[in-house]
Amino acid sequence: MIDSTSLDPTALAQPADLPAVDRLLSEPAFALWVQQHGRQLITQQLRKLLQQLRAQALAGKLARSELNVVQLAARFEKQLQQYLQPQLRPMINLTGTVLHTNLGRALLPDEAVQAVLTALTTPANLEFDVRTGKRGDRDDLVEALICELTGAEAATVVNNNAAAVLLMLSTMAAEREVVVSRGELVEIGGAFRIPDIMQRAGARLIEVGTTNRTHAHDYEQAICEQTAMLMKVHCSNYAVVGFTKEVNLTELVQIGRRHGVPTTVDLGSGTLVDLSQWGLPKEPTVKETIAAGADVVTFSGDKLLGGPQAGLIVGRKDLIQSIKKNPLKRALRVGKLTLAALEPVLALYRSPEHLAQRLTTLRLLTRPAVQMQEQAKALQPLLQQALGSDYTVAAEPMLSQIGSGAMPIDVLPSYGLVVRYVGAGRAGGPIMRVEKWLRGQQRPVIGRIQHDTLFLDLRCLSAAEQAILQAQWSTALA
């Protein structure tokens, strides 16, 4: 090890000056890391550090002063923290999108969190019937509750709504035809398209009508002996306006029944309650869809429902039983953690008068703007000081988005911080640097940039997260 008392800060280090791994491992700081993480891991990371230092030395970019034990330990500690940091990390969502697909969609209420913790640490009756002592069906854990809330005869759960649609089509329409309005052939995130999923399921798509107008006679004329179902897809991620026409579900069900063909509905981000009672946009509920005569309905668990990622399939008992017998069901089924989280979320819907307080998603969607305004006023001075005089940070009203894939065109009055560049030159680069700085903090902060302006919408900011922001931005001032 180089003696730090005799170092010339201007002298460049040579590869021969690098300390040996064993020598570093004998230093107290490194010995402590060995005790905490094991000799193998620390040795591996030390070799990685020394390789980096050797490359710097060969390039003439390493000073001998950087080889004293204090600096080496500090550099190694930073490297070790980065190596051990989990890839799935908590973020602070200031995008203004409550159900943000890239940030994990719905946040779970405390009841679901505690249920998952219990399922993680204890054996559970996942597929065990306590009453009979025999093997059970994991769907039994939530099926009765789902049927109670939706009015369906039967239900099953898979890992997401795309899987639900795939399984339904594979079971009911393999090698047969599915009639869908051309205006409902949606594409959702990740380039998932209804026509593609039909092809994978072995079904043949029959498009009827036009992009903006589909009539009852379009469906009537398309039905033949090869028709497996009439399918309606709820367009929750876009809207066609103007000169439009669609066949409503009640009429479509009547057409299907006249011809002995089942009617299915993909609700996508299906909701179990009428959101309009809280001043939110009206969405068709699963119960209304079943009551209108749909034979099978599919919808998501982690969007407007506010639960874990899951795909729910509800409907006629005979059809659900057939779906559950499909070999694909085992490949697409959910594990105990999803079921542990889903049941308490569904149970909250039994008390709808308390739902806006207890269901995290609904609480965020209905949050008063005045709460966000108070947070913005508290945070504005800190961020302004941290960024300096080249930027202005203002507390301003803005519009939140319900979801990136669920009702994206519907917006909510919100409040937050707006960052603008007022220094010399163009604003794009400096604003991007601020956005990158926020993403690089210990708890990454994710906002949105529009027209060279950074918006930090506080709709989803909890009190605990506000304290984290205050600590992070105060540290930047130190």
Side-chain angles (χ1 to χ4, degrees):
M1 184 74 64
I2 293 178
D3 182 1
S4 61
T5 61
S6 61
L7 288 176
D8 178 358
T10 64
L12 293 176
Q14 301 299 315
D17 295 328
L18 297 179
V21 171
D22 290 341
R23 180 73 178 274
L24 287 174
L25 288 173
S26 66
E27 293 289 337
F30 292 91
L32 180 61
W33 285 318
V34 169
Q35 183 179 0
Q36 292 175 337
H37 303 290
R39 189 178 183 89
Q40 179 176 321
L41 186 151
I42 298 303
T43 299
Q44 175 196 58
Q45 290 301 306
L46 267 177
R47 287 174 177 157
K48 181 179 178 180
L49 174 61
L50 290 173
Q51 286 176 355
Q52 295 171 355
L53 293 171
R54 182 171 289 105
Q56 285 183 256
L58 289 171
K61 297 180 179 180
L62 181 68
R64 295 188 76 220
S65 58
E66 295 180 70
L67 296 181
N68 72 70
V69 66
V70 175
Q71 291 207 42
L72 284 176
R75 181 165 174 172
F76 180 79
E77 182 176 28
K78 184 177 181 180
Q79 174 185 305
L80 184 63
Q81 288 175 346
Q82 291 177 343
Y83 177 73
L84 296 176
Q85 182 172 262
Q87 292 300 302
L88 185 64
R89 302 169 55 192
M91 318 285 274
I92 295 181
N93 177 13
L94 302 188
T95 64
T97 301
V98 176
L99 297 169
H100 199 298
T101 300
N102 298 340
L103 299 181
R105 289 187 183 156
L107 302 180
L108 298 183
D110 290 341
E111 293 87 346
V113 174
Q114 292 305 312
V116 171
L117 181 61
T118 300
L120 279 167
T121 55
T122 63
N125 59 322
L126 178 63
E127 288 188 351
F128 183 81
D129 190 326
V130 179
R131 294 169 298 178
T132 64
K134 297 179 180 179
R135 180 171 181 169
D137 184 339
R138 63 183 65 193
D139 282 338
D140 291 345
L141 299 172
V142 292
E143 183 176 20
L145 182 51
I146 295 172
C147 292
E148 174 189 334
L149 297 171
T150 64
E153 294 178 0
T156 188
V157 183
V158 290
N159 56 21
N160 60 25
N161 189 51
V165 175
L166 174 67
L167 184 60
M168 176 189 70
L169 291 169
S170 172
T171 304
M172 299 174 59
E175 304 302 326
R176 299 183 67 197
E177 296 178 354
V178 179
V179 182
V180 185
S181 168
R182 186 170 281 109
E184 297 174 4
L185 297 177
V186 302
E187 175 181 321
I188 61 173
F192 171 88
R193 296 177 172 181
I194 288 292
D196 294 341
I197 206 69
M198 284 193 183
Q199 183 180 23
R200 291 293 182 181
R204 294 193 295 275
L205 169 64
I206 303 298
E207 302 178 31
V208 296
T210 63
T211 302
N212 61 319
R213 292 179 69 81
T214 301
H215 303 271
H217 62 78
D218 292 320
Y219 289 98
E220 295 270 11
Q221 293 171 3
I223 295 174
C224 65
E225 291 183 358
Q226 287 300 307
T227 303
M229 69 172 72
L230 306 180
M231 184 175 178
K232 192 167 185 62
V233 182
H234 177 54
C235 305
S236 60
N237 65 349
Y238 73 97
V240 179
V241 296
F243 187 57
T244 64
K245 174 72 171 68
E246 69 170 313
V247 178
N248 64 45
L249 178 58
T250 300
E251 188 176 3
L252 189 62
V253 167
Q254 292 172 351
I255 294 171
R257 287 177 178 172
R258 282 200 298 270
H259 294 272
V261 176
T263 301
T264 66
V265 179
D266 173 20
L267 277 181
S269 55
T271 179
L272 298 180
V273 291
D274 181 1
L275 297 175
S276 64
Q277 64 186 294
W278 292 286
L280 297 170
K282 167 69 177 175
E283 280 281 289
T285 69
V286 181
K287 192 167 190 175
E288 290 169 346
T289 307
I290 289 292
D295 296 289
V296 176
V297 181
T298 63
F299 56 101
S300 294
D302 59 339
K303 293 184 181 177
L304 292 176
L305 193 149
Q309 178 178 299
L312 286 75
I313 312 174
V314 302
R316 275 172 37 192
K317 188 172 184 178
D318 60 326
L319 296 176
I320 299 299
Q321 286 178 338
S322 297
I323 288 170
K324 292 177 67 167
K325 291 177 182 178
N326 189 321
L328 272 178
K329 173 62 165 66
R330 184 173 181 85
L332 302 174
R333 69 182 184 180
V334 296
K336 67 174 183 178
L337 302 185
T338 299
L339 290 167
L342 182 60
E343 183 181 9
V345 170
L346 291 170
L348 293 178
Y349 283 87
R350 285 172 163 164
S351 303
E353 62 270 27
H354 299 302
L355 201 59
Q357 292 77 42
R358 297 176 181 174
L359 185 68
T360 307
T361 294
L362 189 55
R363 186 172 70 245
L364 293 176
L365 291 175
T366 58
R367 192 177 181 212
V370 65
Q371 293 181 2
M372 298 166 249
Q373 187 174 5
E374 291 172 358
Q375 289 179 314
K377 289 180 179 179
L379 291 168
Q380 184 273 337
L382 281 174
L383 186 56
Q384 181 66 75
Q385 285 182 274
L387 295 182
S389 59
D390 283 345
Y391 299 87
T392 62
V393 180
E396 296 182 9
M398 55 188 65
L399 294 174
S400 295
Q401 188 180 47
I402 293 176
S404 49
M407 304 167 71
I409 63 173
D410 293 301
V411 292
L412 307 169
S414 186
Y415 217 90
L417 300 176
V418 181
V419 181
R420 299 179 178 90
Y421 179 67
V422 293
R426 301 180 64 177
I431 288 296
M432 290 292 290
R433 285 194 291 273
V434 174
E435 189 270 345
K436 184 178 180 180
W437 171 69
L438 290 170
R439 277 191 290 112
Q441 294 183 337
Q442 185 173 2
R443 178 71 69 90
V445 180
I446 313 300
R448 71 177 189 271
I449 294 177
Q450 290 179 304
H451 308 300
D452 292 335
T453 302
L454 177 61
F455 294 85
L456 302 176
D457 191 314
L458 305 184
R459 174 168 292 277
C460 296
L461 186 68
S462 67
E465 289 172 331
Q466 179 181 342
I468 292 172
L469 282 186
Q470 289 171 322
Q472 289 184 164
W473 295 349
S474 296
T475 301
L477 298 172

